[in-house]
Amino acid sequence: MDRPRGRPVNPVAEAAPAGPADQVPDAAPAAPPGQAPAPARAPWPGPVRRLTVLYDARCPLCVHLRGWLQRQRQLVPLDLVPAGSAEARRRFPELDHAATLQEITVVGDLGQVYRETAAWIVCLWALAGYRSRAHWLTTPAGRPFARGTVLAAARYRSMAVPPCAPGARECAAPPGGAWAPR
């Protein structure tokens, strides 16, 4: 289920149907006489129907973004599960749960794993109001912007936002108090 970290990921391409019938043919077309047949390709598993977002429930910024995601109209349902929780471990026993507390991780219903920038892009891709933006963020023009935004959020999280209360298992409310978006 884990993907190599150095490989560029295009979550939109991986989550989108491969063709008009939502699948790749099971076998390559017959080769002309005298030529070797092309290797068969695995069938396309189908479109993503649900995503699980693993977020750090002890981080006020992460809790705020969880609330924001919940308020958006979702084209692909998002299950928001605290990273490292018993529920996360039950659903995904093969994941490195310590790593999921350090970086956002999104798991597709077909076993796809998205981390860091790709995870944010696939979250946006799941939202009705942000799908076109997610597509742009996977282009050569958009990718640096996406990466810079994720790095800025990580820096803010690590330096400016203290964890909730020491020993707390989850933040009670998003940062911003009464004026925060609901």
Side-chain angles (χ1 to χ4, degrees):
M1 185 160 162
D2 235 358
R3 92 173 56 257
R5 288 187 178 254
R7 182 178 155 241
V9 178
N10 182 336
V12 176
E14 289 184 14
D22 288 347
Q23 62 183 4
V24 175
D26 289 337
Q35 290 185 6
R41 295 190 288 179
W44 177 257
V48 172
R49 299 198 191 290
R50 182 169 226 91
L51 293 165
T52 302
V53 179
L54 301 175
Y55 70 96
D56 185 353
R58 297 169 299 161
C59 162
L61 176 62
C62 303
V63 172
H64 175 74
L65 292 171
R66 175 203 64 188
W68 180 83
L69 287 169
Q70 289 174 325
R71 289 187 302 275
Q72 305 305 307
R73 190 166 70 87
Q74 299 171 4
L75 297 174
V76 176
L78 297 174
D79 294 331
L80 296 133
V81 176
S85 68
E87 177 65 13
R89 292 175 192 282
R90 184 190 67 74
R91 288 185 185 202
F92 311 110
E94 65 283 353
L95 279 181
D96 176 357
H97 291 279
T100 66
L101 287 166
Q102 300 304 313
E103 59 188 25
I104 183 175
T105 304
V106 178
V107 183
D109 60 344
L110 300 174
Q112 313 89 322
V113 176
Y114 306 99
R115 290 188 174 87
E116 299 173 344
T117 306
W120 284 112
I121 293 172
V122 81
C123 283
L124 291 174
W125 175 85
L127 304 176
Y130 295 89
R131 183 162 281 188
S132 63
R133 178 61 49 156
H135 283 280
W136 179 77
L137 290 170
T138 65
T139 68
R143 193 74 179 170
F145 177 79
R147 182 72 181 144
T149 302
V150 169
L151 289 173
R155 185 161 179 84
Y156 174 81
R157 178 180 177 219
S158 69
M159 299 191 74
V161 180
C164 296
R169 297 185 73 205
E170 187 169 326
C171 293
W179 56 269
R182 300 279 177 224

